[in-house]
Amino acid sequence: MNYTLIMNKSILNIAFIGNYLPRQCGIATFTTSLCESVAAVRPGLSCFAVPITDTPEGYAYPDRVRFEIEEKNLESYRRAADFLNSNNPDIVCLQHEYGIYGGDDGLFILSLIRKLRMPIVTTLHTIMQNPSARQRRILTEIADRSSFVVVMTEKAVELISSVYNVPLSKIRLIPHGIPDMPFIDPSFYKAQYDLAEKTVLLTFGLLSPNKGIEQVIRALPEIIKAKPETVYIVLGVTHPGLIRHEGEAYRLSLQQLAAELHVEKHVLFRNRFVSADELKEFLVMADIYITPYLYEEQITSGTLAYSFGIGNAIISTPYWHAAELLADGRGILVPFRSPEAIAEAVIRLASNETERNAMRKNAYMAGREMTWPNVARKYVELFTEARMTRYSVTSQNQEIRPLAGPLGGLFSEEEQNELPRLKLDHIRRLTDDTGMFQHAVYTVPNYNEGYCADDNARALILMVLLTAQADEAYPEFDRLAGIYLGLLQFAFDEKSGRFRNFLNYDRSWVDERASEDSHGRVVWALGTCLGKYHNPGFQGTAAKLFEQGLPIVTQFSSPRAWAFSIIAIHEYLRRFSGDRLADGIREELSLRLFALYKENARAEWPWFETCLTYDNAKLSHALILSGSDTGNETMLEAGMTSLKWLMETQTSPQGRFRPIGSDRVYKRGEEKPLFDQQPLEANSAISACLEARRVSGDMFWYREAQRAFRWYLGGNDLSLFVFDAASGGCHDGLHMDRLNQNEGAESTLAFQIALAEMKEAEKSILLEEPTGGKA
């Protein structure tokens, strides 16, 4: 398995999941610092937080917090997933620590990430060398569902790859962030804390028994003999979880130990959660910082990172993070549970200013890459890479895993070939008494964008197809067709002989005339209406508009306008085959299109243009029709050849239909754009393939149409349903990592027209003689 780079894609909105200040814990400090730093380094970037709340009374969170998850409420995690999917951030940045989420070993977080539809980048704060089966399963699934996992040490890279089998390609090493501060002499702040002339030792963070503070207190008698001016500051409150279960038992035991050893005047307990600015002052005035943790399996320590980056001389036990960070003379490592070794190291550094200052400078210089602005930039780069990255499978024996989606799961090819039932709910929702709205916000019509003749032409085509297929009259089809045809009639400008396209909600026109392509699409709808619709009133209106709008197409230079008009004339002549004017226009446009093909086609690029843009298959479709209708075998062969090449070009390595991406024009000789994939391209390909099957009798083309139709039903790069079975609409596209959640007119009509055409083809094939087509 590997990760394939797709394209540059800007990040606009990021959601951060994890604890958040003012909750008092290291994860909260980290998440808050990361979120605020990312927002600071990228002005205009929207960042919001979704914290885990562990108390009924909650916290006075800042405005950055948009949604709270109740730690022990499983349903709250599911609601958070719905909230995130609704707000649709580009990236979710998840902080993982087993203890901050509800359920055994934080199991509840899986119910959230399983529902998410956007890329996840997870920062791992704890990686166990000997996890339980459940812990392994949780972390493995989180890594599996994440685009990337971030770890903070080389040891973490080793563990996550060897113990949890996470591919190295998915792992990124980004150090723990630290405040960006100048290199300051420790004496700078000592006077304001009445510590002038003192040798200050410091440990800070949430107090708990695994921190080993008692080891430093036991070392103090020996230290004080050599350095009587020594003061040991223990800065921080007791861990809230410990408070809830044991109260202040640990702190009281430390105070009692100091009294028993007669060093209580040398130990200062600062029992509060200090602000970031105050913490900086304490760190600066520490001559020596000590982390006497008791256990090796600590993969990262925020307090160690902070003290290192600010330029402290550090003494530490050799837990994983410290062993790595303090190597090469950047600190002193002492054995676990060894007050004697701590005393020896403190006396050594306190007595040797040269060594102490050299250690401070080494740490400070090494820490410049760890400042929060630098760390935030690395995260933004990674977020962008995650947005640019699509999960792919290179092994032919491995199944493509679907991303989380509204329907979820892979469907078999047979299931994907089953055609959905007709559902016009969203078509009706997008239609008022003027016409069909062109855009939707999710599934709600967007009145601000008004209507367009383009989409109403497509809507008229759909109603014509549905009416032609119906076994009995459906007044609803007539009603809707009348609305769409009425808008096209309103769109025609008799003065210019052109159709306008964009209509405001107040029925005022935005433009004086439509583009050539839009005009051609209206002509296509009118020709289809005349060829297939049997409502006399509609035929009269369509005939008048067709007669007025067709001739000017010969003045157009757009190949797609020619193609739409050729298809329109084909439909029209099926009923009015004696119209010499229409036949002459078809001949002229067909020869132009064929000439364009001959001018630009190459052996490796048998196409009409030197690029692929949109609605591409319509060009092949039109040439196939013209060649077949006129008996021009050379023209027909060109149409078939170009369509076969286009379908091959729009095929993924796994054999799935992959429309040319719309992010940019695909120029000959350049890299193919893979996203954003548009429903219109699948519809266009289906129509052309079905026409190729009708003309040739070759069932290969029907199977190609099926393959393109499966794109709507999960047979795509992300294994997601683009068709929305609940609304009857269709999502506006497939991004590199998720669906476009809007369901506008073009996309919905593309799917519904494709469905209608597939049903008609299926019916036609069933009625054919067994020998009527090639196997």
Side-chain angles (χ1 to χ4, degrees), residues 74 77-78 81 85 107-117 120 137-138 141-142 145 401-406 408:
L74 177 59
Y77 291 81
R78 294 169 178 153
N85 287 332
L107 184 68
F108 287 179
I109 191 61
L110 297 182
S111 65
L112 189 159
I113 64 173
R114 285 168 181 166
K115 295 183 69 176
L116 294 182
R117 300 174 191 155
I120 303 169
R137 181 170 65 85
I138 290 171
E141 181 170 345
I142 289 172
R145 292 182 180 275
R401 294 186 65 257
L403 300 181

Side-chain angles (χ1 to χ4, degrees), residues 22 122 160 223 621 648 684 750:
T122 298
I160 195 67
I223 294 170
H621 187 170
E648 291 171 352
S684 178

Side-chain angles (χ1 to χ4, degrees), residues 31-50:
T31 310
T32 305
S33 298
L34 178 60
C35 181
E36 295 299 329
S37 299
V38 166
V41 299
R42 279 284 299 272
L45 186 64
S46 175
C47 297
F48 67 92
V50 178

Side-chain angles (χ1 to χ4, degrees), residues 552-566:
I552 200 171
V553 176
T554 60
Q555 302 175 25
F556 291 173
S557 60
S558 166
R560 281 160 186 76
W562 303 342
F564 296 143
S565 300
I566 290 169

Side-chain angles (χ1 to χ4, degrees), residues 454-604:
D454 247 350
D455 290 333
N456 281 269
R458 294 186 182 97
L460 177 60
I461 289 171
L462 175 62
M463 292 304 116
V464 170
L465 294 177
L466 294 178
T467 301
Q469 292 176 13
D471 295 329
E472 57 185 271
Y474 279 85
E476 176 75 349
F477 297 161
D478 265 1
R479 184 186 72 82
L480 292 172
I483 292 173
Y484 307 139
L485 183 57
L487 188 140
L488 299 183
Q489 179 179 244
F490 183 39
F492 187 70
D493 177 24
E494 294 190 6
K495 184 177 179 180
S496 66
R498 296 281 293 274
F499 290 97
R500 292 165 288 204
N501 193 22
F502 297 111
L503 180 67
N504 290 318
Y505 183 55
D506 64 4
R507 298 184 179 179
S508 62
W509 289 100
V510 177
D511 50 359
E512 291 187 1
R513 65 177 67 176
S515 67
E516 292 182 1
D517 289 1
S518 296
H519 184 103
R521 195 172 283 109
V522 173
V523 170
W524 170 28
L526 296 171
T528 303
C529 182
L530 286 167
K532 291 184 174 178
Y533 220 161
H534 295 280
N535 183 311
F538 291 176
Q539 281 206 333
T541 301
K544 180 181 178 181
L545 292 172
F546 186 74
E547 183 179 347
Q548 292 173 312
L550 178 62
I552 200 171
V553 176
T554 60
Q555 302 175 25
F556 291 173
S557 60
S558 166
R560 281 160 186 76
W562 303 342
F564 296 143
S565 300
I566 290 169
I567 297 170
I569 295 169
H570 167 80
E571 295 292 346
Y572 171 78
L573 290 178
R574 289 171 61 174
R575 193 165 188 180
F576 303 100
S577 57
D579 191 326
R580 296 182 60 193
L581 175 63
D583 195 36
I585 292 174
R586 176 178 64 181
E587 182 179 4
E588 179 179 347
L589 297 179
S590 299
L591 290 173
R592 285 191 200 173
L593 191 60
F594 190 30
L596 192 67
Y597 174 82
K598 290 188 289 185
E599 177 185 346
N600 291 296
R602 303 288 186 272
E604 76 286 354

Side-chain angles (χ1 to χ4, degrees), residues 382-414:
L382 184 58
F383 295 155
T384 304
E385 188 177 354
R387 188 79 170 92
M388 292 164 58
T389 303
R390 175 178 57 83
Y391 191 71
S392 67
V393 177
T394 55
S395 170
Q396 295 299 317
N397 297 322
Q398 285 185 288
E399 184 180 60
I400 298 176
R401 294 186 65 257
L403 300 181
L407 298 179
L410 279 172
F411 285 73
S412 69
E413 185 171 310
E414 291 75 16

